[in-house]
Amino acid sequence: PDVYANPADASTNNLAGRRTQSLYNISMMHQDNTSVMPCVYVSCSDDKVDWVFQYLKPIILKMANMDVKVSKDMVPGQPISEERLRLIHEAQKIVIVCSPLYLNS
């Protein structure tokens, strides 16, 4: 697998490749036949949310045309476990950003 020590390296490498070919041509429709952008749920520690929005989200949008959802997209006041499950069920793909803080949580 590709591992990037520096997040900036991720944008200069071909992340689309064969690993994300399955992301292409995903389309979803509401019951009223309006188009919905498919999404990727990114599970990460709070200290990586900015990195996800700054580096990972633009790559996913450009190469796979999918929206990115993280913990900031949870509905305030709802139980975290239920909101996490909702985001996972709504997502077509799931990405886990492993960091020392993520592994310790």
Side-chain angles (χ1 to χ4, degrees), residues 6 12-13 20-21 33 35-36 39 43 46 51-52 55 58 62 65-66 72 74-75 81-82 84 86 100:
N6 179 351
T12 60
N13 288 286
T20 58
Q21 284 178 353
N33 288 332
S35 180
V36 177
C39 71
S43 179
D46 290 339
W51 179 85
V52 167
Y55 294 101
K62 181 178 180 182
N65 196 31
M66 297 179 82
K72 287 184 177 181
M74 292 183 185
V75 176
S81 59
E82 289 179 20
R84 188 172 289 130
R86 179 185 63 80

Side-chain angles (χ1 to χ4, degrees), residues 21-27 38 64:
Q21 284 178 353
S22 63
L23 296 176
Y24 290 100
N25 300 322
I26 294 175
S27 61

Side-chain angles (χ1 to χ4, degrees), residues 61 86 103:
L61 279 170
R86 179 185 63 80
L103 295 174

Side-chain angles (χ1 to χ4, degrees), residues 26-76:
I26 294 175
S27 61
M28 298 175 52
M29 301 294 283
H30 276 298
Q31 290 179 356
D32 62 359
N33 288 332
T34 58
S35 180
V36 177
M37 179 180 270
C39 71
V40 174
Y41 174 67
V42 179
S43 179
C44 63
S45 58
D46 290 339
D47 69 321
K48 296 298 179 194
V49 172
D50 290 338
W51 179 85
V52 167
F53 279 105
Q54 186 175 2
Y55 294 101
L56 189 59
K57 184 175 181 172
I59 292 169
I60 292 173
L61 279 170
K62 181 178 180 182
M63 298 197 163
N65 196 31
M66 297 179 82
D67 194 13
V68 175
K69 303 286 184 180
V70 296
S71 58
K72 287 184 177 181
D73 296 302
M74 292 183 185
V75 176

